[in-house]
Amino acid sequence: MVKKWIVIISIMIALGIGCYYENKYVNKAFDSMVTSLTTFKEMLNLTEADINTTQNVEYLNNLHKEFHKKEKALKALIWHTGLKDVEVGISRILTYVEESDYTEALTETNALLDYCKHYSMDFEINLENIL
């Protein structure tokens, strides 16, 4: 009887540790995206008249590449549709920047920022998410 409890408790501890590290990785990935998008939003505000600069385009391309690196590991942990939405959001922002459409680029950046913040909250360790 004692051996069964030891096994059960060991499994629960292993699951708890796994959930903790999953939470930290997912939150770190999305927090990094939020930081990058906030920086990009500031860059947009500096070049409001003409956002189609090589600096803005390169920044978004690098952001897209960074996300692809993280996406491989994230696909094992979270829903693919959420990752697809982030990737589509980055592509839309890039398209609006290339077209020099400040209003749409800013709107899409704000939408993606909001999405990343809320998606990160879905993976926090709290009673609501456990139940």
Side-chain angles (χ1 to χ4, degrees):
M1 182 73 171
V2 172
K3 289 181 184 179
K4 289 180 184 179
W5 281 106
I6 291 173
V7 170
I8 290 171
I9 291 172
S10 298
I11 290 172
M12 290 176 67
I13 289 172
L15 283 173
I17 291 170
C19 288
Y20 174 78
Y21 283 110
E22 175 191 39
N23 168 335
K24 291 299 174 192
Y25 185 78
V26 170
N27 283 339
K28 183 178 176 184
F30 280 98
D31 287 346
S32 171
M33 181 64 73
V34 167
T35 302
S36 297
L37 287 170
T38 303
T39 303
F40 179 72
K41 187 176 169 181
E42 292 169 2
M43 291 169 60
L44 277 180
N45 290 331
L46 290 175
T47 59
E48 187 175 336
D50 184 28
I51 63 171
N52 187 12
T53 63
T54 56
Q55 182 182 9
N56 288 347
V57 173
E58 286 177 13
Y59 188 87
L60 285 173
N61 285 329
N62 290 335
L63 179 63
H64 206 223
K65 287 177 187 175
E66 283 180 37
F67 183 72
H68 271 289
K69 290 177 188 175
K70 294 175 186 174
E71 186 178 32
K72 292 176 184 178
L74 287 172
K75 281 185 177 180
L77 301 173
I78 60 178
W79 302 297
H80 291 44
T81 55
L83 298 174
K84 182 188 78 162
D85 290 340
V86 172
E87 191 161 334
V88 168
I90 295 170
S91 296
R92 285 181 181 167
I93 295 168
L94 180 60
T95 301
Y96 291 133
V97 167
E98 288 173 345
E99 293 175 353
S100 199
D101 189 346
Y102 172 77
T103 305
E104 290 297 326
L106 186 62
T107 301
E108 197 65 42
T109 302
N110 287 332
L112 188 55
L113 265 168
D114 189 50
Y115 182 82
C116 288
K117 288 176 186 175
H118 284 89
Y119 204 81
S120 180
M121 282 187 235
D122 289 343
F123 287 90
E124 288 182 357
I125 296 176
N126 59 30
L127 187 59
E128 179 182 327
N129 289 341
I130 293 172
L131 297 177

